[in-house]
């Protein structure tokens, strides 16, 4: 059974600092996704990573994938308040259903 | 091009009533996935449907829950005899077959409250 773990669960960080969110998964998959969710809202797609060594960047966020280690990271550079949200990674299982991690609640303070 | 639509956005039901949640996929999409998000938790897969077919229902509770995606009209997630534990946000996502990336596009969700 495919399982996805994220850490940390909560992250409180100061503006301007850097940090990394980790996503581990238990079995082989060919796709990994990162989503952002604001309170009471739906999911916003951030990145889709398809291959080993894939790296994608958008603004202050950068995601990478190591399929051999079954690990993806979401790196935050010089955090700003607008990045405060919950971030989920998800891995495609059989039949393309998404198995989500527990989420990382990020709070950026001045 | 309209995105994934869900209605109602908020639904309040008393214990024992039925809840019907609707999902209209993006234009041209024939695959629908339903996920449930309990308060303060991640999303959990429930069911995957294509037109007139249930492909994967491994995440559906065995009782009281059913889903359909008819040839015409939206996909419907039906919860019979709701209980307080059914209170959650229910999201549907749609995707199109073919192509190298099966991206799922999420709707705004239906927030079900059982009183």
């Amino acid at each position: 059974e495919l399982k996805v773990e994220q850490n940390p669960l909560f992250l409180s960080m100061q503006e301007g600092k850097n940090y990394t969110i980790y996503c581990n998964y238990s079995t082989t998959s060919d796709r990994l996704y990162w989503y952002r969710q604001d309170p009471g809202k739906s999911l916003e797609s951030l990145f889709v990573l398809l291959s080993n060594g894939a790296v994608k960047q958008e603004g202050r966020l950068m995601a990478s994938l190591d399929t051999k280690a079954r690990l993806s990271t979401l790196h935050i550079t010089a955090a700003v308040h607008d990045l405060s949200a919950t971030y989920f990674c998800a891995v495609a299982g059989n039949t393309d259903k998404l198995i989500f991690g527990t989420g990382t609640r990020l709070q950026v303070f001045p | 091009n309209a995105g994934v639509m869900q209605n109602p956005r908020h639904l309040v039901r008393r214990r024992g009533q039925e809840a019907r949640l609707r999902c209209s996929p993006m234009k041209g999409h024939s695959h629908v996935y339903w996920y449930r998000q309990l308060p303060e938790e991640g999303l959990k897969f429930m069911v995957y449907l294509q037109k007139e077919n249930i492909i994967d229902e491994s995440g559906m509770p065995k009782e009281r829950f059913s889903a359909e995606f008819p040839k015409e009209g939206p996909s419907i997630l039906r919860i019979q005899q709701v209980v307080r534990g059914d209170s959650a946000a229910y999201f549907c996502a749609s995707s199109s077959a073919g192509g190298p990336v099966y991206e799922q596009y999420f709707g705004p969700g239906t927030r079900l409250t059982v009183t």
Side-chain angles (χ1 to χ4, degrees):
Chain A
E1 182 188 350
L2 177 57
K3 293 186 178 178
V4 181
E5 292 183 351
Q6 269 180 256
N7 67 83
L9 296 182
F10 299 97
L11 178 54
S12 182
M13 57 190 297
Q14 196 171 16
E15 281 188 331
K17 298 293 187 182
N18 305 333
Y19 209 84
T20 300
I21 299 171
Y22 297 89
C23 175
N24 292 89
Y25 53 100
S26 59
T27 62
T28 302
S29 175
D30 59 358
R31 272 167 283 139
L32 188 136
Y33 303 79
W34 283 97
Y35 290 93
R36 168 181 171 147
Q37 187 180 38
D38 291 292
K41 303 293 185 183
S42 187
L43 278 75
E44 174 190 352
S45 178
L46 297 174
F47 302 107
V48 182
L49 302 169
L50 301 177
S51 60
N52 188 42
V55 177
K56 290 194 174 180
Q57 183 164 4
E58 182 72 35
R60 300 174 187 275
L61 300 178
M62 183 174 70
S64 66
L65 178 62
D66 181 343
T67 57
K68 292 179 182 176
R70 297 178 188 155
L71 170 68
S72 179
T73 61
L74 181 66
H75 187 71
I76 303 159
T77 302
V80 293
H81 180 72
D82 285 352
L83 290 179
S84 298
T86 299
Y87 293 85
F88 292 98
C89 65
V91 177
N94 61 344
T95 70
D96 295 324
K97 64 192 174 198
L98 296 183
I99 309 300
F100 282 83
T102 48
T104 296
R105 186 181 294 179
L106 171 65
Q107 183 178 14
V108 181
F109 60 92
Chain B
N1 185 16
V4 178
M5 295 192 292
Q6 290 186 248
N7 67 81
R9 297 287 301 274
H10 299 274
L11 181 61
V12 179
R13 285 286 179 264
R14 290 199 180 99
R15 279 180 297 169
Q17 291 185 319
E18 178 179 290
R20 281 186 179 236
L21 289 61
R22 294 174 182 76
C23 169
S24 296
M26 285 179 69
K27 187 176 181 180
H29 286 190
S30 58
H31 298 206
V32 167
Y33 300 79
W34 285 93
Y35 296 87
R36 175 166 66 174
Q37 185 176 32
L38 294 171
E40 308 299 324
E41 293 188 13
L43 279 75
K44 297 285 195 290
F45 167 76
M46 299 182 74
V47 63
Y48 163 35
L49 309 105
Q50 296 177 16
K51 288 280 188 182
E52 299 184 284
N53 281 305
I54 296 175
I55 307 301
D56 183 348
E57 56 181 351
S58 58
M60 285 277 271
K62 294 286 184 268
E63 297 178 350
R64 301 187 297 109
F65 285 72
S66 62
E68 64 176 2
F69 189 14
K71 187 177 180 181
E72 301 291 339
S75 175
I76 295 175
L77 179 67
R78 181 183 177 204
I79 312 171
Q80 295 178 289
Q81 299 176 328
V82 296
V83 300
R84 288 219 172 102
D86 297 332
S87 294
Y90 292 82
F91 292 95
C92 81
S94 73
S95 69
S96 61
V101 178
Y102 291 152
E103 177 116 41
Q104 293 185 20
Y105 297 86
F106 282 82
T110 293
R111 280 151 183 86
L112 172 66
T113 302
V114 179
T115 61

